[in-house]
Amino acid sequence: MTWVSLLLASLYGIAGLYALAGTRNLWRWTFILSAGIPLGLGVSGLIYLAVPAFHLAVDALLLLATAYLAWRKTPADDEPWQGFAYNWILALAAAAAMAFVLASVYSASTVNPHGDWDAWAIWNLRAKYLAGPIWQHAVATEIAVQHPDYPLLLSAIIARAWKDGGNTFDPAVPATIAMLFFACGAGLLASAVACIRRSSSLGWLSLLILAASSSFISQVPSQYADIPLAVYMAAAIACALLDVPIAGGLFAGLAANTKNEGIAFAAAYLIATLVRTRRPHVLCGAIPGIAAIVTFKAFYAPVSEYLGRTPDFSRLGAIIESSIKLIPDLGFGLTNPLLLLLVLVAGLRWKPAASPLWFPSVLVFLVMKFAYLTAYLTTPADVQWQLGTSQSRLAAQLWLMLILLVLVRLRSLEEIFAAVAPRNKKQPSGRA
Amino acid sequence: MDSKLGAALSAAVVVLFSLFSALELFGLMGKNPVEDPYHVEHYTARIGAVKPPSGTTRTGFITQEQGQSRNLLLFLSRYALAPILVVDSPDVFPRVRGARDGVTLETKTAQ
């Protein structure tokens, strides 16, 4: 039943996103699938938090409603994309690299089925309480070291799956959810880049950059909330650039419920997109998530340890030094993904932004960097310890967003080699 | 440099280096547990993720070397979430004076 429960949530996420953004295009389908699953899981988590006793009934109703909307949806025809004769090489390489990466993650999850420290000390522990008879234990002040002020979405997703499976507390559930978020993050990154730039080559290249991101990948078997947060934030940015504002708002709301950093992201994202587009759609999408996090923070969460603290600017040197030292650790030596991104920028060259929301999205990225800096300046913990234990995770949170924002500004191989592979109008759109 | 040559070269570098990195990762990850079985046993007790071994009633096992464990031990015992807590050292006992009635503490030496 656990797996049926996860499937049910995934299905209404996919159906809902199809109703909002469906077109007849293979890459677009990939986006709907890979963004729809985390969307459905997130919404199912919010439903579980709101009505734990009746969540399955609400899930079933939501599935019916989204299936109806998806059935009513008439997907727009997408114009054919330019082709590139050697995209199949990129596709093969990306598939092989991701196969190795997924095998690595699976292997690490098998050796460490319970994840790393924060997984069993915070996220899965609170999931157990949410699945149990006294959910209030998840926000009890007695477990202050377990951070009861952290948002509950990831724990709720795990708790729901555990509860529907008869509370066996199978460690395979959080491990599978962690892998699912990673796989969906990879899929949505590649498909979003491809759809925004109408270029399969850029989609495959983004996947290859991700496959070289060993620091990001090593976070997956830890079962922390940083990868789900990275996925929700990247999905929100992708929806802004693809002009799917309601879905963008939904993802921003889910990010706010995943980690405290997500609250800063949601605020910056909503302000930036509202100011730039002057359309309220994004706010409509964010309503469920905002309502959930405001209710949680106002009525249930203990006060955050960061609240009311003044910044200690003497830490600035240590923070900058640690940030610089982090760069080589993003990957292995010459295969460092940041280096590979620079190689692509140098080789493909920059081009004008395709979306008016690109600059606001970069601003959101910078706001997040500023929020992290503020957290380090105000943390009540020893700053060296805090930097050592969190900086690679914070880098992981923004990594998908960074690859997305850089890749959508590059010229595609299709454009550069247009003379080699002339446009074929009969080629099905979105094919590699 | 010719823009086509530059683009082709950069794409080739990304393909080769990413494959190399993914292979290297495959060789490294999953070979060593982050937590040794002893620590994993703490965890299973903390969240009750694994049923107690057959024939025992043990539902909790906490070590005293980690601050979080002590904190959690207190919490688990206070709310009787783990009716029997197994700790690795009697030194932990003063930390659980707030334990609720009915909670039994046993000791076990770490392997």
Side-chain angles (χ1 to χ4, degrees):
Chain A
M1 189 61 191
T2 295
W3 309 112
V4 175
S5 165
L6 290 175
L7 182 68
L8 177 73
S10 302
L11 283 176
Y12 62 66
I14 294 166
L17 201 56
Y18 178 80
L20 290 170
T23 59
R24 292 194 181 93
N25 176 297
L26 200 60
W27 275 114
R28 191 77 161 199
W29 263 109
T30 310
F31 179 76
I32 286 166
L33 201 68
S34 48
I37 292 172
L39 175 66
L41 292 179
V43 172
S44 75
L46 292 185
I47 292 170
Y48 182 78
L49 286 173
V51 281
F54 311 105
H55 70 278
L56 275 176
V58 179
D59 285 341
L61 283 175
L62 198 56
L63 179 62
L64 283 175
T66 51
Y68 174 74
L69 290 173
W71 177 66
R72 294 267 306 185
K73 169 83 178 176
T74 309
D77 280 322
D78 202 6
E79 284 182 25
W81 295 4
Q82 276 187 327
F84 173 56
Y86 300 104
N87 265 343
W88 63 274
I89 297 178
L90 296 177
L92 269 181
M98 285 313 292
F100 282 123
V101 166
L102 288 173
S104 308
V105 170
Y106 175 78
S107 173
S109 298
T110 310
V111 175
N112 297 292
H114 304 291
D116 212 339
W117 184 282
D118 281 6
W120 42 260
I122 299 176
W123 307 107
N124 298 345
L125 174 80
R126 298 174 82 202
K128 186 218 169 181
Y129 296 149
L130 288 177
I134 309 173
W135 65 266
Q136 287 89 343
H137 287 142
V139 290
T141 49
E142 288 92 338
I143 53 167
V145 188
Q146 272 64 45
H147 296 286
D149 62 305
Y150 282 5
L152 283 166
L153 186 65
L154 177 61
S155 300
I157 294 169
I158 297 165
R160 173 183 173 277
W162 268 343
K163 193 168 188 177
D164 292 344
N167 273 1
T168 56
F169 301 119
D170 184 355
V173 171
T176 305
I177 288 171
M179 284 187 69
L180 205 54
F181 267 102
F182 170 69
C184 289
L188 90 84
L189 171 70
S191 56
V193 169
C195 290
I196 293 162
R197 290 301 322 284
R198 306 172 64 78
S199 157
S200 296
S201 66
L202 285 176
W204 297 125
L205 286 170
S206 67
L207 209 53
L208 284 162
I209 298 279
L210 184 67
S213 312
S214 57
S215 173
F216 179 87
I217 295 161
S218 65
Q219 301 291 337
V220 181
S222 300
Q223 301 176 23
Y224 289 7
D226 302 286
I227 299 297
L229 178 63
V231 171
Y232 285 135
M233 293 197 297
I237 295 291
C239 286
L241 300 177
L242 284 166
D243 196 22
V244 195
I246 295 178
L250 270 168
F251 282 118
L254 293 176
N257 284 275
T258 306
K259 280 199 89 179
N260 282 337
E261 299 93 306
I263 299 172
F265 171 81
Y269 178 85
L270 293 177
I271 292 169
T273 49
L274 273 173
V275 168
R276 184 67 184 84
T277 64
R278 301 193 183 281
R279 287 186 295 166
H281 302 70
V282 68
L283 209 54
C284 297
I287 284 172
I290 291 175
I293 193 64
V294 168
T295 307
F296 173 70
K297 288 291 183 184
F299 300 109
Y300 299 107
V303 175
S304 169
E305 58 193 348
Y306 287 87
L307 221 66
R309 291 186 59 85
T310 49
D312 178 358
F313 290 102
S314 68
R315 298 170 174 179
L316 215 49
I319 296 167
I320 293 169
E321 187 187 342
S322 178
S323 303
I324 294 168
K325 281 182 180 168
L326 179 76
I327 294 172
D329 294 336
L330 293 174
F332 299 126
L334 281 176
T335 65
N336 188 305
L338 208 55
L339 215 56
L340 297 185
L341 262 184
L342 290 175
V343 166
L344 273 188
V345 172
L348 301 182
R349 311 276 172 83
W350 215 240
K351 70 172 282 179
S355 163
L357 281 167
W358 187 83
F359 281 106
S361 299
V362 172
L363 274 180
V364 173
F365 179 90
L366 295 175
V367 166
M368 290 307 293
K369 294 299 280 183
F370 181 74
Y372 297 160
L373 175 68
T374 310
Y376 285 130
L377 291 175
T378 55
T379 178
D382 172 56
V383 75
Q384 290 292 354
W385 173 83
Q386 187 92 35
L387 285 164
T389 54
S390 67
Q391 219 171 17
S392 58
R393 290 187 290 109
L394 296 190
Q397 289 178 10
L398 296 181
W399 189 239
L400 291 177
M401 205 196 302
L402 180 70
I403 300 176
L404 177 67
L405 288 172
V406 171
L407 266 283
V408 297
R409 287 297 306 272
L410 300 182
R411 290 189 305 157
S412 67
L413 290 169
E414 287 87 345
E415 289 169 319
I416 296 167
F417 288 87
V420 177
R423 176 173 162 165
N424 179 1
K425 287 195 173 179
K426 288 186 178 175
Q427 182 187 344
S429 59
R431 293 274 299 273
Chain B
M1 193 193 294
D2 175 57
S3 69
K4 285 180 184 173
L5 181 62
L9 273 177
S10 64
V13 165
V14 169
V15 166
L16 288 175
F17 281 32
S18 295
L19 278 170
F20 183 76
S21 173
L23 263 172
E24 193 170 355
L25 190 72
F26 183 63
L28 286 175
M29 273 179 84
K31 298 295 178 278
N32 299 303
V34 176
E35 297 286 333
D36 60 38
Y38 169 68
H39 284 107
V40 168
E41 198 177 349
H42 302 171
Y43 157 78
T44 57
R46 286 176 200 195
I47 73 158
V50 172
K51 290 173 185 169
S54 59
T56 74
T57 53
R58 178 154 57 95
T59 55
F61 179 70
I62 307 287
T63 180
Q64 60 113 25
E65 83 239 23
Q66 296 149 342
Q68 291 204 48
S69 304
R70 287 195 291 269
N71 178 279
L72 198 60
L73 175 62
L74 185 60
F75 181 74
L76 289 169
S77 56
R78 182 172 295 163
Y79 291 98
L81 291 171
I84 296 178
L85 293 167
V86 182
V87 295
D88 69 339
S89 162
D91 296 343
V92 180
F93 282 66
R95 304 292 304 232
V96 290
R97 275 196 289 267
R100 192 167 132 177
D101 288 346
V103 173
T104 309
L105 292 171
E106 296 173 0
T107 54
K108 179 189 175 183
T109 306
Q111 298 301 310

